[in-house]
Amino acid sequence: MGHRVGLLLFLHNVMQTFVAADHRYRPLYDRAVGAQITAQLRLAGYQPDSGVPVVLLSYSGGAQVAAGAVGALHAQLRSPLLLIMLGGFHNGANDLTHAEHVHQLTSANDRIERVGTWIFPQRWRLFRRSQWNRALRAGKITVHRLDPATHVGPRSYISPEAHLPDGRSYLDRTTDTVIAIIRTRYGATAATDTGDRSP
């Protein structure tokens, strides 16, 4: 039963991703998501033009949503934006000009992410003028390998059961990687703003 529920949730997320990626709906969808994120940040006390970085951590099809929100967030918050895509399933069509950097967390065993690179032409290296390939050439994308994790299941990126030779769970490694990315880029600011709340 749990497997069926997981499959239904996955298929729902895939459909949401295709809606967000569809060129007919994408501009409206992207603006709406950007407005929602902005509203929630302001409710939490975020001040536009403060220079405090905003980190968008996305998983699977959430990468499509996060990449799409970049333009609206930049326009409304004028803040540094960092994208971290975990197993990112996206079409590569969104303009990433206003993202400071994109970190792609991936694995050779992530078949679902690989499908995204096959079915969306803008992810193909042949389409050099696509937004994704422009960001690649600009050095804006850093790839982090989390082999041998899978996209979903008991050996996924966020599995607390699967373990590495060093004893850490796959979830621990993913968490460590995300924290290291943020601290490397914004270490001094993050320590000051959060009181360095170490995990």
Side-chain angles (χ1 to χ4, degrees):
M1 183 66 178
H3 176 71
R4 290 179 185 173
V5 171
L7 180 60
L8 285 173
L9 283 171
F10 171 71
L11 291 173
H12 173 267
N13 290 340
V14 168
M15 292 307 298
Q16 286 286 95
T17 302
F18 279 110
V19 170
D22 190 304
H23 69 92
R24 294 168 297 178
Y25 312 119
R26 192 171 69 236
L28 182 60
Y29 193 97
D30 292 347
R31 283 195 299 272
V33 171
Q36 281 292 321
I37 295 173
T38 298
Q40 292 303 312
L41 284 170
R42 285 180 166 167
L43 282 173
Y46 187 89
Q47 296 295 319
D49 294 305
S50 65
V52 175
V54 172
V55 179
L56 299 175
L57 173 61
S58 60
Y59 188 16
S60 192
Q64 180 70 45
V65 178
V70 166
L73 288 174
H74 173 76
Q76 295 178 57
L77 299 177
R78 298 164 300 280
S79 62
L81 298 169
L82 180 69
L83 270 66
I84 302 177
M85 298 177 171
L86 178 57
F89 185 86
H90 63 97
N91 69 355
N94 291 103
D95 185 355
L96 299 172
T97 303
H98 297 299
E100 277 199 338
H101 205 78
V102 179
H103 291 271
Q104 182 183 12
L105 280 57
T106 185
S107 168
N109 291 357
D110 186 344
R111 294 192 181 107
I112 291 172
E113 184 193 25
R114 205 156 58 241
V115 166
T117 67
W118 296 339
I119 66 173
F120 293 122
Q122 302 221 41
R123 298 283 304 277
W124 303 350
R125 293 191 180 274
L126 175 66
F127 288 82
R128 290 178 52 79
R129 295 173 65 88
S130 76
Q131 297 295 344
W132 182 254
N133 286 321
R134 287 179 180 179
L136 275 171
R137 285 198 306 278
K140 221 167 205 179
I141 299 170
T142 300
V143 177
H144 304 263
R145 307 297 307 194
L146 299 181
D147 300 338
T150 57
H151 195 86
V152 293
R155 297 180 63 80
S156 75
Y157 300 107
I158 57 173
S159 171
E161 284 87 27
H163 288 82
L164 299 163
D166 65 10
R168 289 181 301 162
S169 70
Y170 284 19
L171 174 60
D172 288 338
R173 175 180 59 177
T174 299
T175 303
D176 291 345
T177 303
V178 169
I179 291 171
I181 288 169
I182 296 169
R183 284 188 171 160
T184 297
R185 191 158 195 99
Y186 305 118
T189 303
T192 302
D193 293 343
T194 66
D196 194 19
R197 292 190 291 265
S198 299

